[in-house]
Structures are given as C-alpha cells and as structure tokens.
Amino acid sequence: MILETIKSQKITFEQKVVALARLAEGSIEVLNKSDALKKYIEDGIICDLFEGNAPYRPRYIVPDYNVFMEQGSKFLNIEKPTNIWEAVHGLLILYKHVPSITTMPVYLGNIDYLLEPFIKDENEAYLAIKLFLKHIDSTITDSFCHANIGPKETKAGILILRAMRELELPTPNLTIKYTEETTDKISIEAIKTALVTAKPSFANDKMFREDFNGEYGIVSCYNGLKVGGGANTLVRVRLGALSKLANSKEEFLEKVLPEVSKEMLEYIDERSRFIIEESGFYESSFLIKEGLLEKEKFTGLFGFVGLAECVNNLLGATDKKERFGYSEEANNLALKIVETMHNIIANHKTKYAGEFFGNTHLLHSQVGIDTDRNESPGCRIPVGEEPEIFEHIVQSAPFHQYCPSGIGDIFVFDETYKSNPEAILDIIKGAFETNLRFFSLYSDTCDVVRVTGYLVKRSEIEKLDKGEQVLRDTTILGKGARDNAKALGRKLRSE
Amino acid sequence: MKLTGKINRIIKFSNVDGPGNRMAIFFQGCNFNCDYCHNPETINICKKCYACISKCPTSALLKNEMGNIVWNEKLCCECDECIKSCGFNSSPKVKEYSIDDLLESISKVKSFIKGITVSGGESTLHYKFITKLFIEVKKRWPNLTCFVDTNGGVNLQDENYREFVENTDSFMLDVKAWEKNEHLELTSKNVDIVIENLYFLRDIGKLFEVRSVVVSEKLNNKLTVESVSKAIGKKDIRYKIIKYRQFGVREEKKEKLFSPKDEELKELAKLAEENGVKNTLII
Ligand code: SF4
Ligand code: SF4
Ligand code: SF4
C-alpha cells in the first residue's frame, strides 16, 4: 500500500502526503473497541468514515475568527488587520493552520462580516475578494471547506456572491444564513449565484440560532456546529444494513436500534477520549491558547444514513405508494426511528461532550460516502423517487428538528428559473416556515454541482474518468457518488 | 346553485405565470381558436359524445347517470389517449371545482407562493367565478396576489367586468398580432378589443406583462412588436417575446407554422428596447 501510494500517478503530491499519513495512523491500534462494535464495523453497519485508528485532531473545527480579527495572532506573528489586503492575507495564513479530518479547514467563518469593516473602495474590495476566493480554491483543495454569509445584507456579501458567480469554482462551499432580516436583494443575488455555481445553500437561521443558543457555523457539507468549538468525531450507522437484523419493526425499534446506538455512543466517547485526553490537541494548539477554540464547545456527532432503505425494508414496501416519501405509515415509522435515536442520544450524558451541549452528542443526518450502495443520505428520499417539490418539502421538514448538526435536501431547477429567481425565494421562504432547516439548489446547466453536500465540477469528474490527475480530492468522491449512488440524477424541478 | 368552475389543470408551483412562485389554475374553454394553440384540448367544453371513453386503457373514464363523464384521477396513467381521440378540442379530464375546493388547495401551498394566477383556455370567460374566488383569497390571505392571464378577447371596460377588474391585481395579456386580418386568421377573432384592453389595462396600472408569440413567415412580427412596445414603453411593463415551438400543436396546423431563428428574436427584443421597454424577455 505504501509503495503503491508513493508510485501512484493519479494523485497529486499533496494527496500522497495525506494518504501516507493515514497509512501511518492506520498502522497502530490505540482505541478500545468492544467485540460487538468490531462485529458491527466488520459488517459495514457502523463506520467512522475513515477517521483513522488514532485520532489526533477533532474532525470538524469551527474557530471564532472574530477573535483573530480583533487581536491578530501572537503565534503566527500577525497584527490585527487594518485594511482589506491585510484582512484577506491574515485569514489566508490562518486557514493553513486550522486542522480537520481532511487536514484542511472545514470552516472559514462568516466571511462577509469578517471583511465588511474593510470595504472602502468597492472595486478594490472586489479584486481582493476574488483573489481571496481563488487562493482558497487552489490551496485548500477539498470542497468540504465551507464559508458562511448573512443573515444581514452586507456590501461584502454581495461582492462575494458576484465573485463566486464569475469564478465558478467548487471551493469554498458557501451557505447564506437566512432569516426574516435577510433582504430580498441579497437573497435573490444568492439564488442567481446558486443557479450558476451550486452555492450558496440556505440555512434556516432561526432554527440554528435557537439550537446553538447564538452563534453557529455551517461547516463541511451542511453541518451546524458551535462557533469556537466543533465536533471531535463523527461515527455513523447504516440504517438500511441494520434493518436486516430485525424481523419486525417492533424488534427494530425496541432491540436492534438501542443496541447499535449503545455501541455507537461508546465508540464516539472512546474516539473523543483519545483526542481529548491523549492526543494533546487541546493542550498544545495555539487556536485554544489564543481563545479561538474552547473545549467545552465541542461535541461528538452520531450520524446515520439510509433511513429510506431501513423503513422500506422493515415494511417490505416495494410499491411506490407504500414507500418512504409517499406512504404515511412509512413516514411515521421513519419519524419514530429518528425520534428514538434522538432520545437515546439525549439521555447519554458524557464527559466527552462539552458543557455547552449539556454533555451530550448530537444527531446528524449524514450524507453518505462515495462507496455507499443502497443507502440514501440521512433522511432523504432516494434519488429518482423524489415526489413533487411541494410534497417533498412537506415530507422532509418534520425530520429537520431532530438533527441540529445537519440535515438538508438538494433541489435541481431547470433554466427557466434563471428569469424568475423570486420563485425560488418564495419556495425557500415557505420551506423555512414549514421548519425545514437547510435548502440547497443548483440548476441543470451548472458545471459546479452539489453531490451530497460538497461540490464538484462536472468537467473535473470527466478528467478523472479519463484517468487524469485532478487538484481536489473531493472530485474523486464525487465520481464515486455519481457511479454508486446516482447522486447526479436528481429530479429536475420545472414548470 | 353553487358556483363551480370547469378546471383543466392546476399547477401548484409555476414560475412562468407572473411574479415569483405561483399556483396556476387553468380553466376549460376558450373564445379563440389559435392555429398555434399548445393546449388545443382546453378550447371547447366537452359535448358528451363519449368517443373517448372506449379509448381509455385503464377504465379511468365513466359515464354517470346524469350523462356526464367522470374522470378517475387515481386510475389515470396520463397516456392522453382520450385527448388524442377527441375530435372536438376538448378533454374529459376536466374537473368541477367549487370556490371552497380551490381555497383548500391554495391553503396547502400558501406559504410557498406569491399568489395565484388564473389562466386557460380563456380565464375571463369564468369571470364571475373568479371574482368570487379572488375576493375570498384576499380576505383570507391579504399578502397573496391574484393575477389573470388573458387573450384579451372580452371587453374588460364593460360594466359587467368592473368588479372582476377591481379584484385582479394585474393582468398578463397576449397580443398575438397587430394587423387585423392576420389576427383574425390566426385566432378566428378580431384584434380591436385586444388592443383596447392593452391601452385600458396599461392606463389603470394593471398590466404586468404583454406576450407575443413569434411565428416566422406567417406573421408580421415586426409590426406587432413595434406597436406593442410603443404602447407599453416607458412604463414598468414586461414584454415577453415567445418563440413559437411545435410542441403540443395540432398536427394539421403544424405545416403552416414556422419557428423563428434566435437572431430574429434578438432583433425584435432590440426593437422593443429601442421603443422604451425596460424589461424584455425572450423565451
Ligand atoms: S387563446 Fe390560448 S387557449 Fe385559446 S386558442 Fe388561443 S392559444 Fe389556445
Ligand atoms: S372529451 Fe371529446 S371525445 Fe370525450 S366525450 Fe367530450 S367531446 Fe367527446
Ligand atoms: S389520459 Fe385519458 S385515456 Fe389515458 S388513462 Fe387517463 S383518462 Fe384514460
């Protein structure tokens, strides 16, 4: 494996370094795993999403970049910025020192608010922002890297949207926090940008702000986390595969699901324990020392995929009318399953989840990985089975309350919406009123498309199809998701 | 008797029937008979000849005691065999809705839409029903707007239509041709009232957009666009210049109609802009 990685011509130098580090980490065993857990892992029911055997940094880190803008950084020898160039320069330096599971930062901050105080001359600011974004795309070569804007309209926000529309780059991913305060002007700009380059997504600010009691960041795919904190680990269960262990829905709810949840929670604790107590991250990182992060704002994520397959299996539903997304019985059973997991997690108090979270982990509707087959993302209706958009939203919304750390649906609109972006805003407003948490969109003509949560360029996947090297490792994941999960075959919304 | 409307189709979310996302309600029956009609099955009210019943492969069509055709939506596989077999430009898949039925449908989607649009066929033929509907919608959901999509064939200045016009927030008007004979030949109706309606709706500030379908060779598109844009220029009224497409058009009509080239459309849009139209859209 090591030699193979070294000799590979399909991956870049950077990708080799990361792969080799993973191999090194994988060569030791430091975590305590129960036999039951090992069996679940072997059977592909529980998986830690390639986090490695010896975690030495939290999976998702959500620094409070405001602190940096206020005080600069002693460790990095950077002064508090005084103009737009110093601001983007300082941030770009800092980003290189924010670790994560991918080795690259998954959160870049509310970049509009960070830059707004420095917007004096708009032409100059536009140039600075464009270079900033281009720099991020070319050096943080992984589109789990996510920036936020909003909810208030800012000059910087509008410039960022304009620049993204012009650049059509997959990184960084972008979300606009949307609330009643968000103006229609910036919302329409956001929709126009999304119809060209598949971002930003829309986050229901009110819901997130309530769940996180104030500032939160949208990171990686669509994960809500506390600013100044993050998530140590994300372990997930494949509900579709798990459902095959039960003979009835009662058995599933009362026995199979609680059992696997217990193992999951212990494993999340164990991984977190190693990071917190043994890896030295919380003692040595300058991000902690300089106040950008606080251990008490970290939690662990309990992820799941394949709710649709799970419910359809348990009900033996083959006819469309009986399946998840259509039948009331199936939808109710699905809700019951999610609620059960939510309660189990809420009752599991642990010292490995921060005080901010009342010492509990969070439920996360996970989007899946490139090798998944027969497991739809989180609570989503399988690609190809989507109902009409109105029914789709109303069906999805009830699940969103249970997953504060992330859940979302993706809608593909046809070109006609480009001449009426207000129509999409009306749909988003209604969706949020229905308590949908997160809404992503793109148009069928975009080169940049959203795969499950992250973004890829179709043209780059084509390069990969031909065996050429590509800059971003997420392109490789996108190709897998397209091939294995039809992720690019979503229902087109037209009229 | 309870007022009901014959409705061919309801689209819960539409992005082409006025501003924002709208629920579009398509009424059955039309006073025009345009060569290029894309939904010719909406032109006539079913004359109960029952020819379509036997063509339905799923037995979704039945004749009831009253002699009406009952369409069972659940059994229908949407093959449109019934429509193809109807030689009378009608459809058996038309439903009678009461105002309450429609209000219930609207209430389901009310948070997702900016308003409703009635279309056709020709919606103004149902103006009494629609007036009542609009009044009720405004009473319940004052933030929803009510739009009418019309071919302009009835005289909206007539006293009969006063309440209807008052309760409509804005109109979308087709001006299919400017020249008299051309319009008559294309639609089988005179253009005079259409043009009067154009000025009338413009002057009362209730004209959201005008639309002209461009057909090459057959129509003097330049004259139409020039005249319309002169009439609406400088006002905040959108002009949609629509490319004729064969899709859905009756077989026997197809041979005399030609789709324009994109350049022709662009030139027409330019012409409209030169005449002061701020918002022209080619589709
Ligand atoms: S006015 Fe419209 S519905 Fe009536 S015939 Fe003409 S195109 Fe068809
Ligand atoms: S829809 Fe047409 S074919 Fe069927 S009964 Fe009516 S007029 Fe006759
Ligand atoms: S479209 Fe018409 S013919 Fe076809 S199934 Fe439906 S009712 Fe029957």
Side-chain angles (χ1 to χ4, degrees):
Chain A
M1 261 316 252
I2 295 180
L3 193 59
E4 221 175 275
T5 305
I6 289 173
K7 286 184 172 177
S8 169
Q9 299 196 21
K10 286 189 182 161
I11 56 177
T12 63
F13 170 73
E14 309 291 337
Q15 288 161 359
K16 281 184 191 181
V17 174
V18 175
L20 290 170
R22 282 190 204 282
L23 288 170
E25 190 189 346
S27 69
I28 54 170
E29 281 288 353
V30 296
L31 301 173
N32 295 316
K33 292 180 191 162
S34 72
D35 288 342
L37 175 71
K38 283 188 196 152
K39 176 91 172 67
Y40 281 126
I41 292 176
E42 239 176 65
D43 295 346
I45 289 175
I46 289 180
C47 106
D48 59 22
L49 299 154
F50 315 112
E51 278 190 9
N53 288 352
Y56 51 96
R57 71 300 200 198
R59 181 182 181 94
Y60 300 132
I61 291 178
V62 191
D64 187 343
Y65 292 107
N66 286 324
V67 174
F68 172 77
M69 294 308 254
E70 276 310 308
Q71 67 188 25
S73 167
K74 279 217 173 65
F75 181 74
L76 297 174
N77 194 18
I78 301 177
E79 298 286 323
K80 173 182 161 84
T82 61
N83 61 44
I84 185 84
W85 297 107
E86 284 174 9
V88 296
H89 182 71
L91 285 170
L92 288 171
I93 294 173
L94 179 55
Y95 293 156
K96 310 256 152 52
H97 301 278
V98 176
S100 83
I101 189 65
T102 64
T103 75
M104 289 168 251
V106 293
Y107 176 69
L108 303 180
N110 243 84
I111 53 174
D112 57 342
Y113 286 19
L114 294 173
L115 299 180
E116 184 69 4
F118 308 105
I119 309 274
K120 301 286 181 290
D121 171 343
E122 283 199 27
N123 289 331
E124 189 184 14
Y126 186 65
L127 177 62
I129 284 170
K130 249 173 70 179
L131 293 175
F132 174 66
L133 293 173
K134 175 69 188 141
H135 186 121
I136 291 167
D137 180 72
S138 309
T139 57
I140 304 176
T141 53
D142 179 293
S143 44
F144 291 113
C145 165
H146 207 137
N148 295 182
I149 59 171
K152 287 211 175 86
E153 181 191 318
T154 55
K155 276 191 218 124
I158 299 272
L159 294 176
I160 289 163
L161 290 168
R162 241 179 68 199
M164 285 195 167
R165 207 152 67 214
E166 198 183 313
L167 291 167
E168 288 193 59
L169 298 170
T171 313
N173 200 340
L174 186 74
T175 288
I176 179 166
K177 297 169 171 173
Y178 181 89
T179 182
E180 278 166 8
E181 263 193 315
T182 314
T183 61
D184 280 2
K185 180 181 165 198
I186 193 163
S187 308
I188 295 293
E189 282 293 307
I191 289 166
K192 282 189 189 158
T193 304
L195 289 175
V196 173
T197 188
K199 60 187 164 181
S201 295
F202 281 70
N204 187 337
D205 186 70
K206 185 164 166 272
M207 263 175 110
F208 276 111
R209 210 162 279 279
E210 274 166 20
D211 286 334
F212 289 96
N213 195 12
E215 269 326 301
Y216 65 95
I218 302 295
V219 326
S220 190
C221 284
Y222 55 32
N223 315 6
L225 288 166
K226 185 67 190 164
V227 168
N232 284 309
T233 179
L234 161 59
V235 178
R236 66 163 199 171
V237 54
R238 293 178 63 171
L239 294 177
L242 182 70
S243 66
K244 301 206 168 115
L245 304 184
N247 294 311
S248 67
K249 55 183 191 191
E250 290 76 23
E251 191 189 355
F252 183 80
L253 281 168
E254 283 151 30
K255 186 162 165 282
V256 175
L257 189 60
E259 274 174 16
V260 84
S261 302
K262 178 176 157 281
E263 293 300 331
M264 289 262 293
L265 286 165
E266 277 172 14
Y267 191 39
I268 294 170
D269 280 348
E270 173 63 5
R271 298 191 66 84
S272 310
R273 181 196 63 77
F274 188 84
I275 298 172
I276 295 168
E277 293 178 355
E278 298 200 37
S279 77
F281 175 84
Y282 287 99
E283 286 74 35
S284 62
S285 169
F286 77 98
L287 296 167
I288 299 269
K289 286 182 192 153
E290 296 190 357
L292 278 69
L293 292 177
E294 247 176 89
K295 186 178 132 243
E296 293 309 325
K297 291 180 178 164
F298 278 82
T299 178
L301 301 185
F302 183 113
F304 64 94
V305 289
L307 183 64
E309 288 73 15
C310 171
V311 169
N312 291 341
N313 270 344
L314 291 172
L315 296 175
T318 45
D319 201 67
K320 185 172 163 184
K321 274 183 285 196
E322 300 164 357
R323 287 165 77 80
F324 178 69
Y326 294 86
S327 111
E328 212 176 296
E329 191 193 357
N331 292 346
N332 286 341
L333 175 59
L335 263 180
K336 184 95 196 131
I337 291 169
V338 175
E339 200 184 354
T340 304
M341 288 190 290
H342 171 85
N343 291 340
I344 293 174
I345 296 164
N347 288 326
H348 177 81
K349 298 280 170 193
T350 163
K351 62 173 172 166
Y352 301 117
E355 267 169 28
F356 176 84
F357 291 99
N359 303 106
T360 59
H361 299 305
L362 297 181
L363 189 58
H364 173 78
S365 168
Q366 205 260 330
V367 289
I369 49 177
D370 56 323
T371 51
D372 282 348
R373 277 169 205 267
N374 303 323
E375 300 281 357
S376 292
C379 302
R380 285 190 201 153
I381 297 168
V383 169
E385 287 186 34
E386 301 101 322
E388 289 310 316
I389 187 163
F390 165 69
E391 275 87 24
H392 196 150
I393 291 169
V394 171
Q395 190 274 349
S396 305
F399 295 95
H400 285 218
Q401 59 186 307
Y402 295 109
C403 304
S405 79
I407 180 166
D409 258 296
I410 306 174
F411 300 95
V412 190
F413 291 94
D414 79 2
E415 274 224 286
T416 59
Y417 280 89
K418 285 187 182 166
S419 44
N420 190 358
E422 290 83 6
I424 296 180
L425 183 57
D426 288 336
I427 295 172
I428 293 171
K429 284 179 180 172
F432 285 178
E433 210 173 287
T434 318
N435 284 327
L436 204 80
R437 186 183 286 278
F438 203 78
F439 188 106
S440 300
L441 66 137
Y442 61 88
S443 89
D444 56 334
T445 50
C446 289
D447 183 26
V448 178
V449 292
R450 190 168 294 272
V451 180
T452 49
Y454 60 92
L455 301 157
V456 298
K457 270 175 110 77
R458 279 194 237 250
S459 50
E460 292 266 295
I461 295 189
E462 280 159 23
K463 272 197 203 166
L464 215 52
D465 285 340
K466 289 185 223 144
E468 293 172 28
Q469 272 187 12
V470 291
L471 183 60
R472 294 167 205 90
D473 50 9
T474 14
T475 311
I476 300 167
L477 306 181
K479 175 172 152 60
R482 178 201 63 186
D483 296 344
N484 293 331
K486 299 185 288 185
L488 301 184
R490 277 182 200 96
K491 186 182 177 86
L492 181 63
R493 315 295 173 159
S494 55
E495 276 307 348
Chain B
M1 216 185 85
K2 214 169 147 195
L3 208 49
T4 57
K6 284 192 174 20
I7 288 171
N8 179 285
R9 191 153 101 101
I10 293 178
I11 296 182
K12 284 200 190 102
F13 285 10
S14 161
N15 73 22
V16 293
D17 293 290
N21 189 40
R22 314 187 69 80
M23 181 161 135
I25 305 167
F26 296 85
F27 284 82
Q28 181 72 18
C30 189
N31 47 352
F32 283 18
N33 186 358
C34 307
D35 284 344
Y36 58 46
C37 185
H38 290 263
N39 304 99
E41 75 280 5
T42 61
I43 295 177
N44 290 324
I45 306 286
C46 167
K47 62 175 181 191
K48 302 184 192 172
C49 74
Y50 312 123
C52 53
I53 293 187
S54 61
K55 295 281 165 26
C56 177
T58 64
S59 307
L61 300 174
L62 288 174
K63 178 177 153 188
N64 72 6
E65 307 95 69
M66 325 257 295
N68 293 330
I69 294 195
V70 187
W71 171 51
N72 187 336
E73 215 174 331
K74 291 212 176 80
L75 290 179
C76 175
C77 65
E78 285 163 45
C79 68
D80 280 352
E81 281 306 322
C82 49
I83 288 169
K84 279 179 232 154
S85 71
C86 176
F88 185 59
N89 294 328
S90 187
S91 161
K93 298 194 286 177
V94 170
K95 286 192 147 185
E96 297 259 350
Y97 280 76
S98 67
I99 305 262
D100 284 340
D101 295 337
L102 286 178
L103 290 172
E104 199 191 311
S105 311
I106 297 168
S107 93
K108 282 192 193 144
V109 295
K110 64 172 192 298
S111 349
F112 298 87
I113 55 175
K114 207 169 243 85
I116 63 169
T117 298
V118 295
S119 185
E122 176 48 35
S123 57
T124 58
L125 303 180
H126 306 260
Y127 73 99
K128 284 191 183 145
F129 179 84
I130 292 170
T131 307
K132 281 226 161 62
L133 173 69
F134 283 3
I135 289 173
E136 282 305 313
V137 168
K138 287 172 180 298
K139 217 186 272 168
R140 284 175 209 216
W141 307 294
N143 58 324
L144 295 188
T145 53
C146 299
F147 276 56
V148 170
D149 177 354
T150 177
N151 60 23
V154 303
N155 184 359
L156 293 169
Q157 294 184 69
D158 192 291
E159 178 57 23
N160 285 336
Y161 295 98
R162 200 172 51 82
E163 214 190 353
F164 171 64
V165 173
E166 267 171 21
N167 284 287
T168 301
D169 291 297
S170 217
F171 287 81
M172 293 181 289
L173 176 72
D174 293 339
V175 178
K176 296 168 190 281
W178 197 266
E179 208 273 311
K180 278 193 169 71
N181 292 333
E182 220 172 68
H183 193 272
L184 189 62
E185 205 201 313
L186 177 75
T187 69
S188 82
K189 282 280 151 46
N190 285 324
V191 75
D192 313 7
I193 298 180
V194 179
I195 293 176
E196 268 182 48
N197 280 325
L198 172 72
Y199 293 128
F200 168 62
L201 293 172
R202 175 196 70 184
D203 294 341
I204 61 168
K206 288 200 177 191
L207 191 51
F208 174 75
E209 86 181 9
V210 179
R211 295 176 299 204
S212 299
V213 175
V214 177
V215 184
S216 264
E217 295 171 44
K218 187 178 168 75
L219 299 178
N220 187 346
N221 302 303
K222 226 171 148 186
L223 174 70
T224 309
V225 171
E226 173 127 54
S227 315
V228 169
S229 50
K230 277 190 179 142
I232 63 171
K234 300 182 193 74
K235 297 253 174 171
D236 193 15
I237 297 169
R238 180 161 80 181
Y239 196 11
K240 249 189 199 170
I241 296 176
I242 303 172
K243 177 178 183 166
Y244 162 74
R245 292 178 173 88
Q246 285 211 331
F247 183 75
V249 173
R250 282 165 280 189
E251 282 305 323
E252 69 272 19
K253 309 266 183 195
K254 275 182 187 164
E255 56 206 51
K256 46 178 179 167
L257 300 168
F258 302 97
S259 231
K261 295 225 160 52
D262 289 347
E263 289 83 68
E264 186 178 352
L265 296 165
K266 275 191 201 132
E267 260 169 46
L268 291 170
K270 211 172 123 220
L271 181 64
E273 272 152 31
E274 280 164 12
N275 283 315
V277 181
K278 281 193 236 54
N279 189 356
T280 24
L281 212 64
I282 301 177
I283 57 167

